[in-house]
């Protein structure tokens, strides 16, 4: 289980526990469960790289303790 | 200035009609190329031309949240607020299915509950296929009646939050709507006339396939009729009536009287070259037909 920190710089900062083999889509659902927004509305980015829903965290090399930017669509 | 709603527009659901689409997606639509190029200064007539050119339905897609032309046209319609007659024309037209989908979606956003049920339920009978562009920028197949079903059931379709729709039962209790008449009602009545047991057994075999095809789905539960999902005709097993007719056919082909008929003898006179062939063919025909009968049954069972 790794812990990923998602910050939208507007007041929402959540720490989400997930597995490295979870996809980004699963991570979005976990974030949605914690923040209350819908998972379809969440966009995860790192600078301008948008993370796609069907690729796992391990493939994106997202490790424990990494910060991910939270945006909305 | 450029993206304001028409002045005379009535407020819909209490707000500016354009606000039915959420702020972020609305901003994405205003910034996208299709909106700037094609949706500039569109009127109701010109929208028809644009709608006819639509090739797929879709919400936003891709990493950069690109809105589809369908969504842009919906926002344009919300901006100009066309007359209800025009929207009903869009829905009623048979030829262009994407125009129909556009009209249906707009009606769902803007219409009252009674209107929505009144205009969208006939579209349940339309089973044409459509393309939908999903979030991952892949096309998927969708049937028109599945789309209408989503509009009437789901809360969020094509990335637009749909306004609240009154439950059909509530409207029926208030006598604002008639109970739903499904086109499949007649099929179910035919079903009930024939023997129940044989069909129930076969339906159990066919059920896993039926669950995948949501085409023949009733909107509401009719407590008077027995609980049974209407199976499409091709998937039903042959009724006893049909089975008996097949038996009759088979016996006719096998009967000796056929070979003794005068027409057959006449044929024999003419084709003496193929005499030996005919004799063999009779047996072959019988065997061939027997195999064919079995194949038909298999097809009926497998649907």
């Amino acid at each position: 289980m790794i812990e990923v920190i998602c910050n939208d710089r507007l007041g929402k900062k959540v720490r989400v526990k997930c597995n490295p083999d979870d996809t980004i889509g699963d991570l979005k659902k976990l974030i949605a469960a914690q923040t209350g927004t819908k998972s379809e509305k969440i966009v995860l980015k790192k600078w301008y790289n948008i993370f796609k829903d069907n690729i796992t965290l391990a493939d994106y090399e997202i490790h424990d303790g990494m910060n991910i930017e939270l945006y909305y669509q | 200035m450029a993206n304001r709603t028409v002045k005379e527009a009535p407020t819909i659901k209490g707000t500016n009609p354009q606000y039915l689409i959420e702020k972020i997606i609305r901003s994405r639509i205003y910034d996208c190329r299709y909106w700037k190029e094609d949706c500039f200064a569109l009127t109701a007539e010109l929208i028809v031309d644009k709608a006819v050119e639509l090739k797929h339905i879709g919400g936003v897609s891709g990493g950069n949240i690109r809105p589809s032309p369908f969504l842009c046209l919906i926002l344009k319609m919300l901006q100009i607020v066309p007359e209800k007659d025009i929207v009903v024309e869009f829905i009623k037209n048979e030829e262009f299915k994407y125009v129909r989908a556009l009209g249906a979606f707009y009606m769902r956003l803007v219409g009252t509950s009674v209107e929505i049920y009144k205009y969208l339920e006939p579209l349940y009978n339309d089973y044409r296929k459509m393309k939908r562009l999903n979030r991952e920028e892949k096309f998927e197949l969708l049937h028109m009646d599945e789309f209408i079903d989503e509009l009437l059931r789901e809360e969020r379709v094509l990335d637009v939050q749909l306004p609240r729709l009154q439950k059909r039962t509530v409207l029926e209790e208030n006598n604002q709507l008639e109970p739903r008449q499904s086109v499949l009602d007649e099929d179910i009545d035919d079903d009930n006339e024939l023997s129940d047991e044989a069909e129930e057994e076969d339906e159990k075999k066919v059920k896993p396939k039926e669950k995948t095809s949501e085409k023949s789905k009733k909107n509401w539960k009719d407590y008077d009729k027995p609980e049974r999902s209407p199976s499409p005709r091709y998937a039903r097993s042959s009724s006893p009536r049909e089975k008996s007719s097949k038996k009759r056919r088979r016996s006719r082909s096998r009967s000796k009287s056929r070979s003794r008929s005068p027409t057959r003898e006449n044929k024999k006179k003419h084709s003496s070259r193929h005499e030996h062939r005919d004799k063999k063919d009779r047996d072959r025909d019988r065997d061939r037909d027997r195999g064919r009968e079995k194949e038909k049954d298999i097809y009926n069972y497998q649907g």
Side-chain angles (χ1 to χ4, degrees):
Chain A
M1 288 292 261
I2 60 174
E3 196 172 59
V4 170
I5 300 158
C6 303
N7 192 356
D8 77 341
R9 308 251 175 213
L10 292 171
K12 257 190 211 149
K13 187 168 175 181
V14 290
R15 284 143 65 104
V16 180
K17 272 183 118 58
C18 50
N19 289 321
D21 58 352
D22 283 344
T23 61
I24 294 283
D26 298 338
L27 180 62
K28 284 187 184 177
K29 288 187 189 158
L30 291 166
I31 295 170
Q34 271 194 273
T35 61
T37 51
K38 292 213 172 99
S39 55
E40 300 99 42
K41 291 207 198 172
I42 293 173
V43 176
L44 297 173
K45 285 198 213 178
K46 260 288 218 208
W47 194 230
Y48 282 118
N49 302 317
I50 300 173
F51 291 139
K52 296 210 174 134
D53 280 358
N54 50 345
I55 300 179
T56 63
L57 296 181
D59 290 337
Y60 271 128
E61 302 203 6
I62 296 174
H63 303 301
D64 191 20
M66 263 177 85
N67 283 293
I68 298 183
E69 292 151 26
L70 185 60
Y71 290 90
Y72 299 102
Q73 69 115 305
Chain B
M1 187 185 69
N3 290 323
R4 255 202 272 139
T5 324
V6 153
K7 256 191 228 161
E8 314 82 52
T11 62
I12 291 181
K13 318 280 174 189
T15 73
N16 185 343
Q18 283 194 83
Y19 291 178
L20 283 170
I21 296 187
E22 286 148 3
K23 174 83 171 114
I24 298 178
I25 296 183
R26 226 183 323 134
S27 313
R28 297 291 305 154
I29 296 178
Y30 291 151
D31 292 335
C32 89
R33 195 172 170 164
Y34 186 79
W35 178 267
K36 290 181 173 164
E37 281 182 357
D38 298 332
C39 295
F40 184 72
L42 276 191
T43 62
E45 301 93 46
L46 296 173
I47 271 203
V48 179
D49 298 334
K50 290 282 172 199
V52 161
E53 289 166 5
L54 278 175
K55 291 277 187 312
H56 56 89
I57 65 177
V60 293
S61 63
N64 55 348
I65 324 291
R66 221 165 132 249
S68 76
F70 188 85
L71 200 58
C72 296
L73 284 179
I74 286 284
L75 186 60
K76 196 71 199 179
M77 284 176 84
L78 286 170
Q79 196 177 52
I80 63 175
V81 188
E83 302 279 335
K84 199 173 128 204
D85 311 328
I86 301 181
V87 184
V88 174
E89 269 311 307
F90 274 23
I91 296 178
K92 283 199 177 149
N93 108 94
E94 291 272 339
E95 207 184 324
F96 301 103
K97 52 194 174 185
Y98 294 110
V99 176
R100 202 175 228 189
L102 192 75
F105 195 69
Y106 183 79
M107 177 58 90
R108 174 68 176 89
L109 289 178
V110 156
T112 64
S113 297
V114 179
E115 283 173 8
I116 293 172
Y117 281 116
K118 185 172 142 199
Y119 290 117
L120 259 52
E121 276 188 351
L123 297 186
Y124 266 130
N125 305 330
D126 185 354
Y127 46 83
R128 288 181 288 190
K129 294 187 203 170
M130 297 197 290
K131 280 194 292 195
R132 171 156 67 181
L133 190 58
N134 67 8
R135 187 63 72 77
E136 281 86 38
E137 291 189 300
K138 297 252 164 64
F139 281 108
E140 43 186 42
L141 206 57
L142 181 71
H143 293 93
M144 175 72 82
D145 51 357
E146 288 173 9
F147 180 59
I148 302 295
D149 196 43
E150 279 182 16
L151 284 180
L152 290 175
R153 269 176 218 271
E154 304 277 324
E155 287 182 359
R156 205 179 157 80
V157 174
L158 300 184
D159 301 306
V160 175
Q161 191 71 18
L162 299 177
R164 282 273 169 102
L165 183 66
Q166 284 272 45
K167 295 261 182 226
R168 207 197 157 75
T169 48
V170 174
L171 291 173
E172 281 174 23
E173 278 171 27
N174 291 341
N175 291 325
Q176 286 174 307
L177 272 185
E178 300 293 319
R180 179 151 180 264
Q181 287 286 36
S182 161
V183 174
L184 294 169
D185 275 346
E186 4 172 296
D187 283 351
I188 296 173
D189 286 337
D190 290 343
D191 225 15
N192 286 337
E193 283 171 11
L194 307 171
S195 68
D196 289 350
E197 289 169 13
E199 297 224 273
E200 265 175 312
E201 276 180 44
D202 294 325
E203 268 176 26
K204 278 180 201 161
K205 287 181 201 168
V206 172
K207 245 179 199 170
K209 285 226 169 167
E210 275 176 37
K211 277 178 188 162
T212 53
S213 72
E214 296 242 320
K215 277 186 256 178
S216 52
K217 202 161 126 179
K218 273 206 270 186
N219 196 15
W220 94 117
K221 229 182 181 187
D222 190 359
Y223 292 107
D224 294 332
K225 292 224 171 88
E227 285 262 324
R228 187 191 292 156
S229 61
S231 57
R233 259 243 138 89
Y234 59 85
R236 278 192 222 134
S237 73
S238 53
S239 65
R241 218 186 281 158
E242 285 175 73
K243 273 184 187 154
S244 58
S245 70
K246 270 187 204 154
K247 278 186 188 156
R248 257 185 270 126
R249 257 195 289 134
R250 201 187 288 168
S251 63
R252 223 185 286 142
S253 70
R254 273 194 197 161
S255 70
K256 288 176 190 168
S257 60
R258 193 181 174 216
S259 58
R260 284 189 200 145
S261 64
T263 50
R264 190 124 170 101
E265 278 170 23
N266 285 337
K267 278 183 191 166
K268 262 192 166 179
K269 280 183 195 167
H270 290 298
S271 56
S272 55
R273 248 188 297 154
H274 306 291
E275 227 176 21
H276 71 283
R277 197 185 35 142
D278 278 339
K279 281 186 198 156
K280 281 188 188 168
D281 276 345
R282 240 176 289 150
D283 293 330
R284 222 183 279 151
D285 280 345
R286 207 187 309 142
D287 289 338
R288 204 199 319 137
D289 283 338
R290 200 187 294 145
R292 226 183 259 151
E293 303 290 356
K294 277 190 188 159
E295 277 176 44
K296 272 190 199 153
D297 281 336
I298 292 171
Y299 281 132
N300 277 335
Y301 277 121
Q302 289 178 345

